[in-house]
Amino acid sequence: MKAAVVGAGLMGTEIALVFALAGHDVLLTDLSEEALDRAMARLGSLIEKGISRQAYAANTAREALTLIRPTTKIVELADRDLVTEAVFESLDAKAGVLKALDDLCAPHCILASNTSTLPISTLAASLRPGRRPLFLGTHYFSPVSRMQLVEIIPGFATDRATVEQVAAWLEGVGKQPVEIKDVAGFAVNRMLHALLIEAVRLVEEGVATPADLDTACRLGLGHPIGPFAMMDVVTSDLCLQVQDILHDAYGERFRPPALLKQRVAAGLGGGKGRPGWTRNG
Ligand SMILES: NC(=O)c1ccc[n+]([C@@H]2O[C@H](COP(=O)([O-])OP(=O)(O)OC[C@H]3O[C@@H](n4cnc5c(N)ncnc54)[C@H](O)[C@@H]3O)[C@@H](O)[C@H]2O)c1
């Protein structure tokens, strides 16, 4: 199977790695050589640091890197069987990429989007009707090389055969797909943000500190990371954006807590080098 990923950012780079580790030939594209150089350097250090200690021998992991060919020329994707779009979370950016892929990819090529919040059926509207049966969402989780889950989201027009083929490919690269309806937030983000919102409310009400609530989730619920540590990794800013979308879709139960909004406005959203809930920057 010949794969490709468009967008060599945090997610796309590791999606390319996962396919290469399973022996697939992968094209990785981005807008600039610099972005691609950064992506390949990141993969090199990822392999040296950790992946080699997991399911794959270091040599295999190093060989996998040679299966990833970076290119800025999207036309080179014409012979691919599966192309995964992982560009910025913007409807315009994604629609533009999908339209270009639709024009240049072979008629049998399956197109997948890694969107976390845009409806798959809305993205499908940027494709010609003939391609829509071959389009679906594949929602990976960060860090992609370690998180086994992928939500598969068929749109209104997606063929069963497409869902089954993509599920088989994902299982073949060591992922565990679950099929989810095309609803706002899909399934995992709905469950996650219900927890995050309640965790912030507990802090607002003075029930417990962020550190103790993180401890409670790790040691009482068996979560590998507490909600506040997690918000600091993904950033509270991104959490607020997702909660605004969920609030729009589902109403009161996903209203973002006032404290989360205040902290984001105050620049306390976490991320690289910025203060968050669990550290001072
Ligand atoms: N970050 C997460 O934890 C996470 C989790 C699940 C899904 N997602 C989704 O994955 C997608 C990518 O997120 P990310 O965090 O990797 O973003 P990112 O900003 O790290 O990377 C996006 C990359 O896309 C490139 N790009 C933009 N327009 C392009 C184009 N026209 N052609 C080729 N490349 C282009 C950019 O140069 C950049 O390198 C988004 O839709 C996001 O919502 C992110």
mmCIF file of all heavy atoms in Angstrom, residues 6-12 29-31 35 38 74 85-90 93-94 97 114-117 139-142 234 238, ligand 1:
data_model
loop_
_atom_site.group_PDB
_atom_site.id
_atom_site.type_symbol
_atom_site.label_atom_id
_atom_site.label_comp_id
_atom_site.label_asym_id
_atom_site.label_seq_id
_atom_site.Cartn_x
_atom_site.Cartn_y
_atom_site.Cartn_z
ATOM 1 N N VAL A 6 -0.388 14.730 4.137
ATOM 2 C CA VAL A 6 -0.231 16.147 3.794
ATOM 3 C C VAL A 6 -0.256 16.952 5.090
ATOM 4 O O VAL A 6 -1.233 16.894 5.836
ATOM 5 C CB VAL A 6 -1.379 16.630 2.865
ATOM 6 C CG1 VAL A 6 -1.166 18.095 2.482
ATOM 7 C CG2 VAL A 6 -1.458 15.761 1.627
ATOM 8 N N GLY A 7 0.853 17.675 5.357
ATOM 9 C CA GLY A 7 0.972 18.441 6.601
ATOM 10 C C GLY A 7 1.932 17.726 7.536
ATOM 11 O O GLY A 7 1.572 16.735 8.176
ATOM 12 N N ALA A 8 3.186 18.230 7.567
ATOM 13 C CA ALA A 8 4.223 17.565 8.370
ATOM 14 C C ALA A 8 4.378 18.256 9.711
ATOM 15 O O ALA A 8 5.470 18.651 10.104
ATOM 16 C CB ALA A 8 5.540 17.547 7.593
ATOM 17 N N GLY A 9 3.257 18.426 10.414
ATOM 18 C CA GLY A 9 3.304 19.030 11.742
ATOM 19 C C GLY A 9 3.374 17.949 12.801
ATOM 20 O O GLY A 9 3.808 16.819 12.549
ATOM 21 N N LEU A 10 2.907 18.327 13.994
ATOM 22 C CA LEU A 10 2.943 17.415 15.140
ATOM 23 C C LEU A 10 2.298 16.074 14.794
ATOM 24 O O LEU A 10 2.866 15.005 15.062
ATOM 25 C CB LEU A 10 2.179 18.086 16.290
ATOM 26 C CG LEU A 10 2.129 17.332 17.598
ATOM 27 C CD1 LEU A 10 3.475 17.429 18.291
ATOM 28 C CD2 LEU A 10 1.033 17.889 18.487
ATOM 29 N N MET A 11 1.114 16.107 14.199
ATOM 30 C CA MET A 11 0.365 14.869 13.954
ATOM 31 C C MET A 11 0.819 14.171 12.675
ATOM 32 O O MET A 11 1.099 12.976 12.668
ATOM 33 C CB MET A 11 -1.137 15.181 13.858
ATOM 34 C CG MET A 11 -1.732 15.802 15.086
ATOM 35 S SD MET A 11 -1.633 14.758 16.546
ATOM 36 C CE MET A 11 -2.850 13.513 16.183
ATOM 37 N N GLY A 12 0.876 14.933 11.573
ATOM 38 C CA GLY A 12 1.161 14.328 10.271
ATOM 39 C C GLY A 12 2.490 13.585 10.243
ATOM 40 O O GLY A 12 2.605 12.493 9.660
ATOM 41 N N THR A 29 4.239 15.470 2.745
ATOM 42 C CA THR A 29 4.356 16.774 2.092
ATOM 43 C C THR A 29 3.998 17.914 3.054
ATOM 44 O O THR A 29 3.200 17.752 3.966
ATOM 45 C CB THR A 29 3.473 16.896 0.815
ATOM 46 O OG1 THR A 29 2.299 17.599 1.142
ATOM 47 C CG2 THR A 29 3.108 15.563 0.249
ATOM 48 N N ASP A 30 4.646 19.045 2.795
ATOM 49 C CA ASP A 30 4.323 20.274 3.520
ATOM 50 C C ASP A 30 4.614 21.427 2.571
ATOM 51 O O ASP A 30 5.061 21.214 1.439
ATOM 52 C CB ASP A 30 5.128 20.382 4.829
ATOM 53 C CG ASP A 30 4.408 21.249 5.876
ATOM 54 O OD1 ASP A 30 4.214 22.454 5.625
ATOM 55 O OD2 ASP A 30 4.014 20.716 6.919
ATOM 56 N N LEU A 31 4.378 22.658 3.062
ATOM 57 C CA LEU A 31 4.510 23.807 2.166
ATOM 58 C C LEU A 31 5.961 24.175 1.894
ATOM 59 O O LEU A 31 6.282 24.731 0.852
ATOM 60 C CB LEU A 31 3.773 25.015 2.774
ATOM 61 C CG LEU A 31 2.261 24.835 2.946
ATOM 62 C CD1 LEU A 31 1.675 25.979 3.768
ATOM 63 C CD2 LEU A 31 1.588 24.752 1.580
ATOM 64 N N ALA A 35 9.956 23.076 6.784
ATOM 65 C CA ALA A 35 8.988 22.311 7.595
ATOM 66 C C ALA A 35 9.287 20.816 7.487
ATOM 67 O O ALA A 35 9.233 20.078 8.482
ATOM 68 C CB ALA A 35 7.560 22.610 7.135
ATOM 69 N N ARG A 38 12.464 19.931 9.461
ATOM 70 C CA ARG A 38 12.148 19.876 10.902
ATOM 71 C C ARG A 38 11.440 18.563 11.241
ATOM 72 O O ARG A 38 11.750 17.904 12.226
ATOM 73 C CB ARG A 38 11.216 21.046 11.273
ATOM 74 C CG ARG A 38 11.942 22.285 11.759
ATOM 75 C CD ARG A 38 10.984 23.206 12.535
ATOM 76 N NE ARG A 38 9.752 23.501 11.816
ATOM 77 C CZ ARG A 38 9.609 24.474 10.927
ATOM 78 N NH1 ARG A 38 10.622 25.273 10.645
ATOM 79 N NH2 ARG A 38 8.451 24.691 10.327
ATOM 80 N N ILE A 74 2.951 18.413 -4.225
ATOM 81 C CA ILE A 74 1.762 17.601 -3.956
ATOM 82 C C ILE A 74 1.419 16.713 -5.172
ATOM 83 O O ILE A 74 0.837 15.641 -5.015
ATOM 84 C CB ILE A 74 0.589 18.509 -3.514
ATOM 85 C CG1 ILE A 74 -0.486 17.684 -2.803
ATOM 86 C CG2 ILE A 74 0.043 19.323 -4.639
ATOM 87 C CD1 ILE A 74 -1.523 18.481 -2.070
ATOM 88 N N GLU A 85 -4.885 13.751 5.245
ATOM 89 C CA GLU A 85 -4.716 15.208 5.348
ATOM 90 C C GLU A 85 -4.563 15.558 6.828
ATOM 91 O O GLU A 85 -5.412 15.169 7.646
ATOM 92 C CB GLU A 85 -5.940 15.869 4.693
ATOM 93 C CG GLU A 85 -6.126 17.341 4.932
ATOM 94 C CD GLU A 85 -6.667 17.630 6.314
ATOM 95 O OE1 GLU A 85 -7.708 17.094 6.684
ATOM 96 O OE2 GLU A 85 -5.999 18.396 7.033
ATOM 97 N N ALA A 86 -3.456 16.266 7.165
ATOM 98 C CA ALA A 86 -3.225 16.667 8.570
ATOM 99 C C ALA A 86 -2.685 18.092 8.614
ATOM 100 O O ALA A 86 -1.684 18.383 9.262
ATOM 101 C CB ALA A 86 -2.270 15.690 9.250
ATOM 102 N N VAL A 87 -3.341 19.005 7.869
ATOM 103 C CA VAL A 87 -2.920 20.415 7.887
ATOM 104 C C VAL A 87 -3.669 21.132 9.011
ATOM 105 O O VAL A 87 -4.440 20.513 9.752
ATOM 106 C CB VAL A 87 -3.138 21.108 6.510
ATOM 107 C CG1 VAL A 87 -2.441 20.322 5.408
ATOM 108 C CG2 VAL A 87 -4.606 21.299 6.178
ATOM 109 N N PHE A 88 -3.441 22.453 9.135
ATOM 110 C CA PHE A 88 -4.076 23.230 10.216
ATOM 111 C C PHE A 88 -5.577 22.970 10.294
ATOM 112 O O PHE A 88 -6.217 22.717 9.282
ATOM 113 C CB PHE A 88 -3.920 24.739 9.964
ATOM 114 C CG PHE A 88 -2.514 25.187 9.772
ATOM 115 C CD1 PHE A 88 -2.173 25.945 8.662
ATOM 116 C CD2 PHE A 88 -1.540 24.872 10.690
ATOM 117 C CE1 PHE A 88 -0.877 26.386 8.477
ATOM 118 C CE2 PHE A 88 -0.239 25.308 10.523
ATOM 119 C CZ PHE A 88 0.096 26.062 9.410
ATOM 120 N N GLU A 89 -6.109 23.158 11.516
ATOM 121 C CA GLU A 89 -7.543 22.956 11.733
ATOM 122 C C GLU A 89 -8.322 24.170 11.211
ATOM 123 O O GLU A 89 -8.792 25.005 11.976
ATOM 124 C CB GLU A 89 -7.796 22.724 13.235
ATOM 125 C CG GLU A 89 -9.192 22.292 13.575
ATOM 126 C CD GLU A 89 -9.537 20.867 13.171
ATOM 127 O OE1 GLU A 89 -8.737 20.218 12.489
ATOM 128 O OE2 GLU A 89 -10.620 20.416 13.526
ATOM 129 N N SER A 90 -8.400 24.287 9.896
ATOM 130 C CA SER A 90 -9.143 25.397 9.283
ATOM 131 C C SER A 90 -9.916 24.816 8.114
ATOM 132 O O SER A 90 -9.352 24.078 7.295
ATOM 133 C CB SER A 90 -8.159 26.474 8.819
ATOM 134 O OG SER A 90 -8.462 26.933 7.515
ATOM 135 N N ALA A 93 -8.372 25.833 4.754
ATOM 136 C CA ALA A 93 -7.102 25.153 4.441
ATOM 137 C C ALA A 93 -7.374 23.702 4.064
ATOM 138 O O ALA A 93 -6.850 23.191 3.063
ATOM 139 C CB ALA A 93 -6.158 25.221 5.638
ATOM 140 N N LYS A 94 -8.220 23.039 4.839
ATOM 141 C CA LYS A 94 -8.470 21.616 4.580
ATOM 142 C C LYS A 94 -9.244 21.433 3.268
ATOM 143 O O LYS A 94 -8.935 20.529 2.481
ATOM 144 C CB LYS A 94 -9.233 20.988 5.751
ATOM 145 C CG LYS A 94 -8.331 20.771 6.972
ATOM 146 C CD LYS A 94 -9.062 20.058 8.074
ATOM 147 C CE LYS A 94 -8.230 19.980 9.348
ATOM 148 N NZ LYS A 94 -7.071 19.098 9.276
ATOM 149 N N VAL A 97 -6.852 21.759 0.335
ATOM 150 C CA VAL A 97 -5.981 20.583 0.178
ATOM 151 C C VAL A 97 -6.790 19.409 -0.380
ATOM 152 O O VAL A 97 -6.352 18.716 -1.308
ATOM 153 C CB VAL A 97 -5.333 20.210 1.538
ATOM 154 C CG1 VAL A 97 -4.695 18.836 1.481
ATOM 155 C CG2 VAL A 97 -4.309 21.258 1.933
ATOM 156 N N ASN A 114 -7.602 14.126 9.263
ATOM 157 C CA ASN A 114 -7.332 13.973 10.696
ATOM 158 C C ASN A 114 -7.948 15.128 11.495
ATOM 159 O O ASN A 114 -7.481 15.457 12.579
ATOM 160 C CB ASN A 114 -5.813 13.916 10.931
ATOM 161 C CG ASN A 114 -5.458 13.640 12.390
ATOM 162 O OD1 ASN A 114 -6.041 12.774 13.006
ATOM 163 N ND2 ASN A 114 -4.504 14.388 12.934
ATOM 164 N N THR A 115 -8.997 15.745 10.944
ATOM 165 C CA THR A 115 -9.619 16.848 11.689
ATOM 166 C C THR A 115 -10.075 16.393 13.071
ATOM 167 O O THR A 115 -10.509 15.250 13.235
ATOM 168 C CB THR A 115 -10.836 17.418 10.928
ATOM 169 O OG1 THR A 115 -11.374 18.490 11.704
ATOM 170 C CG2 THR A 115 -11.926 16.381 10.689
ATOM 171 N N SER A 116 -9.977 17.315 14.069
ATOM 172 C CA SER A 116 -10.516 16.937 15.379
ATOM 173 C C SER A 116 -11.888 17.544 15.610
ATOM 174 O O SER A 116 -12.615 17.072 16.479
ATOM 175 C CB SER A 116 -9.585 17.343 16.532
ATOM 176 O OG SER A 116 -8.605 18.222 16.145
ATOM 177 N N THR A 117 -12.241 18.584 14.854
ATOM 178 C CA THR A 117 -13.506 19.262 15.163
ATOM 179 C C THR A 117 -14.407 19.536 13.954
ATOM 180 O O THR A 117 -15.577 19.854 14.140
ATOM 181 C CB THR A 117 -13.225 20.634 15.834
ATOM 182 O OG1 THR A 117 -12.398 21.403 14.963
ATOM 183 C CG2 THR A 117 -12.541 20.475 17.173
ATOM 184 N N HIS A 139 -9.246 9.974 12.992
ATOM 185 C CA HIS A 139 -8.838 10.895 14.064
ATOM 186 C C HIS A 139 -7.838 10.179 14.968
ATOM 187 O O HIS A 139 -8.194 9.293 15.744
ATOM 188 C CB HIS A 139 -10.081 11.340 14.846
ATOM 189 C CG HIS A 139 -9.795 12.375 15.881
ATOM 190 N ND1 HIS A 139 -10.414 12.407 17.106
ATOM 191 C CD2 HIS A 139 -8.941 13.437 15.871
ATOM 192 C CE1 HIS A 139 -9.959 13.431 17.805
ATOM 193 N NE2 HIS A 139 -9.066 14.070 17.080
ATOM 194 N N TYR A 140 -6.564 10.579 14.820
ATOM 195 C CA TYR A 140 -5.476 9.997 15.619
ATOM 196 C C TYR A 140 -5.336 10.788 16.913
ATOM 197 O O TYR A 140 -5.832 11.911 17.034
ATOM 198 C CB TYR A 140 -4.151 10.087 14.855
ATOM 199 C CG TYR A 140 -4.064 9.209 13.615
ATOM 200 C CD1 TYR A 140 -4.664 9.599 12.416
ATOM 201 C CD2 TYR A 140 -3.378 8.004 13.645
ATOM 202 C CE1 TYR A 140 -4.573 8.797 11.292
ATOM 203 C CE2 TYR A 140 -3.276 7.204 12.522
ATOM 204 C CZ TYR A 140 -3.880 7.603 11.346
ATOM 205 O OH TYR A 140 -3.793 6.817 10.227
ATOM 206 N N PHE A 141 -4.569 10.227 17.847
ATOM 207 C CA PHE A 141 -4.355 10.877 19.137
ATOM 208 C C PHE A 141 -2.868 11.101 19.370
ATOM 209 O O PHE A 141 -2.036 10.315 18.934
ATOM 210 C CB PHE A 141 -4.998 10.028 20.252
ATOM 211 C CG PHE A 141 -6.484 10.028 20.102
ATOM 212 C CD1 PHE A 141 -7.100 9.146 19.213
ATOM 213 C CD2 PHE A 141 -7.268 10.966 20.751
ATOM 214 C CE1 PHE A 141 -8.473 9.200 18.997
ATOM 215 C CE2 PHE A 141 -8.632 11.022 20.542
ATOM 216 C CZ PHE A 141 -9.232 10.136 19.665
ATOM 217 N N SER A 142 -2.569 12.194 20.048
ATOM 218 C CA SER A 142 -1.182 12.598 20.249
ATOM 219 C C SER A 142 -0.627 12.017 21.550
ATOM 220 O O SER A 142 -1.339 12.042 22.566
ATOM 221 C CB SER A 142 -1.136 14.129 20.294
ATOM 222 O OG SER A 142 0.181 14.561 20.465
ATOM 223 N N VAL A 234 -1.678 19.895 26.150
ATOM 224 C CA VAL A 234 -2.382 20.248 24.899
ATOM 225 C C VAL A 234 -2.692 21.743 24.824
ATOM 226 O O VAL A 234 -3.033 22.233 23.757
ATOM 227 C CB VAL A 234 -3.685 19.437 24.692
ATOM 228 C CG1 VAL A 234 -3.421 17.956 24.658
ATOM 229 C CG2 VAL A 234 -4.729 19.750 25.738
ATOM 230 N N LEU A 238 -6.374 25.467 23.476
ATOM 231 C CA LEU A 238 -6.993 24.510 22.561
ATOM 232 C C LEU A 238 -8.222 23.880 23.214
ATOM 233 O O LEU A 238 -9.261 23.696 22.563
ATOM 234 C CB LEU A 238 -5.970 23.439 22.152
ATOM 235 C CG LEU A 238 -6.472 22.413 21.146
ATOM 236 C CD1 LEU A 238 -6.834 23.084 19.828
ATOM 237 C CD2 LEU A 238 -5.412 21.342 20.895
HETATM 238 N N1 LIG B 1 -2.384 18.320 18.043
HETATM 239 C C1 LIG B 1 -3.213 17.351 18.456
HETATM 240 O O1 LIG B 1 -3.126 16.853 19.592
HETATM 241 C C2 LIG B 1 -4.246 16.802 17.499
HETATM 242 C C3 LIG B 1 -4.934 15.622 17.839
HETATM 243 C C4 LIG B 1 -5.842 15.078 16.917
HETATM 244 C C5 LIG B 1 -6.073 15.739 15.721
HETATM 245 N N2 LIG B 1 -5.409 16.907 15.434
HETATM 246 C C6 LIG B 1 -5.664 17.550 14.145
HETATM 247 O O2 LIG B 1 -4.572 17.252 13.267
HETATM 248 C C7 LIG B 1 -4.419 18.334 12.320
HETATM 249 C C8 LIG B 1 -2.987 18.825 12.348
HETATM 250 O O3 LIG B 1 -2.678 19.260 13.646
HETATM 251 P P1 LIG B 1 -1.170 19.489 14.128
HETATM 252 O O4 LIG B 1 -1.239 19.684 15.605
HETATM 253 O O5 LIG B 1 -0.295 18.448 13.555
HETATM 254 O O6 LIG B 1 -0.866 20.891 13.416
HETATM 255 P P2 LIG B 1 0.565 21.570 13.114
HETATM 256 O O7 LIG B 1 0.303 23.032 13.136
HETATM 257 O O8 LIG B 1 1.620 20.992 14.002
HETATM 258 O O9 LIG B 1 0.893 21.097 11.621
HETATM 259 C C9 LIG B 1 0.177 21.483 10.497
HETATM 260 C C10 LIG B 1 1.139 21.411 9.322
HETATM 261 O O10 LIG B 1 0.387 21.544 8.111
HETATM 262 C C11 LIG B 1 1.173 22.292 7.210
HETATM 263 N N3 LIG B 1 0.311 22.829 6.150
HETATM 264 C C12 LIG B 1 -0.599 23.825 6.242
HETATM 265 N N4 LIG B 1 -1.208 24.014 5.052
HETATM 266 C C13 LIG B 1 -0.677 23.085 4.200
HETATM 267 C C14 LIG B 1 -0.887 22.774 2.830
HETATM 268 N N5 LIG B 1 -1.760 23.458 2.100
HETATM 269 N N6 LIG B 1 -0.166 21.775 2.276
HETATM 270 C C15 LIG B 1 0.733 21.084 3.015
HETATM 271 N N7 LIG B 1 0.980 21.341 4.314
HETATM 272 C C16 LIG B 1 0.284 22.336 4.893
HETATM 273 C C17 LIG B 1 1.836 23.357 8.063
HETATM 274 O O11 LIG B 1 2.964 23.936 7.407
HETATM 275 C C18 LIG B 1 2.193 22.525 9.311
HETATM 276 O O12 LIG B 1 3.490 21.957 9.202
HETATM 277 C C19 LIG B 1 -5.445 19.391 12.719
HETATM 278 O O13 LIG B 1 -6.607 19.196 11.951
HETATM 279 C C20 LIG B 1 -5.726 19.073 14.180
HETATM 280 O O14 LIG B 1 -7.002 19.500 14.609
HETATM 281 C C21 LIG B 1 -4.488 17.441 16.292
#
